């Protein structure tokens, strides 16, 4: 389980957010001129398909009045030892329904035995 506290700040209060992941951060993607430090890959597609599921709770929603939120990635124990050492990166993007306003830094997690 990986827990996250999103802190976008009061200027972004009540805006929507979405968390996505990828296997890498370079070169990243551009969303309406906003650089997001995630690559479009299989984990990004999977993480977006898992939005607000038990595996990815609170990964899409509205920031609170202080511009914050909490979310998590919840996976079962690794059944495939070849995944040990694999790293995933996650970041969130904030928008207002017409444009993207903010992208966080990417946070790295690595599967351990």
């Amino acid at each position: 389980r990986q827990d996250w506290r999103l802190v976008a700040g009061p200027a972004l209060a009540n805006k929507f957010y979405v968390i996505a992941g990828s296997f890498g951060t370079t070169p990243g993607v551009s969303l309406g001129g906003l650089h997001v430090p995630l690559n479009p890959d299989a984990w990004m597609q999977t993480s977006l398909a898992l939005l607000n599921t038990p595996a990815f709770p609170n990964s899409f929603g509205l920031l609170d009045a202080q511009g914050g939120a909490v979310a998590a990635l919840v996976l079962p124990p690794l059944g495939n030892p070849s995944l040990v050492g694999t790293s995933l990166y996650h970041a969130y993007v904030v928008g207002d329904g017409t444009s993207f306003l903010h992208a966080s830094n990417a946070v790295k997690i690595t599967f351990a035995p």
Side-chain angles (χ1 to χ4, degrees):
R1 179 181 179 106
Q2 177 73 48
D3 293 304
W4 297 299
R5 177 162 170 71
L6 287 60
V7 182
L12 296 172
N14 304 308
K15 304 289 191 243
F16 80 86
Y17 70 89
V18 62
I19 302 172
S22 74
F23 289 114
T25 60
T26 304
V29 296
S30 180
L31 295 176
L34 182 68
H35 181 260
V36 181
L38 300 173
N39 294 332
D41 58 26
W43 180 241
M44 180 180 279
Q45 291 175 348
T46 301
S47 67
L48 293 172
L50 292 173
L51 290 177
N52 288 347
T53 64
F56 216 19
N58 301 320
S59 50
F60 175 74
L62 291 177
L63 297 171
D64 64 22
Q66 287 75 44
V70 293
L73 176 64
V74 183
L75 299 175
L78 289 178
N80 182 346
S82 69
L83 292 175
V84 171
T86 300
S87 294
L88 300 175
Y89 299 84
H90 296 89
Y92 67 92
V93 175
V94 178
D96 62 6
T98 58
S99 61
F100 295 103
L101 306 170
H102 171 78
S104 72
N105 293 328
V107 175
K108 179 182 178 181
I109 62 171
T110 302
F111 292 116

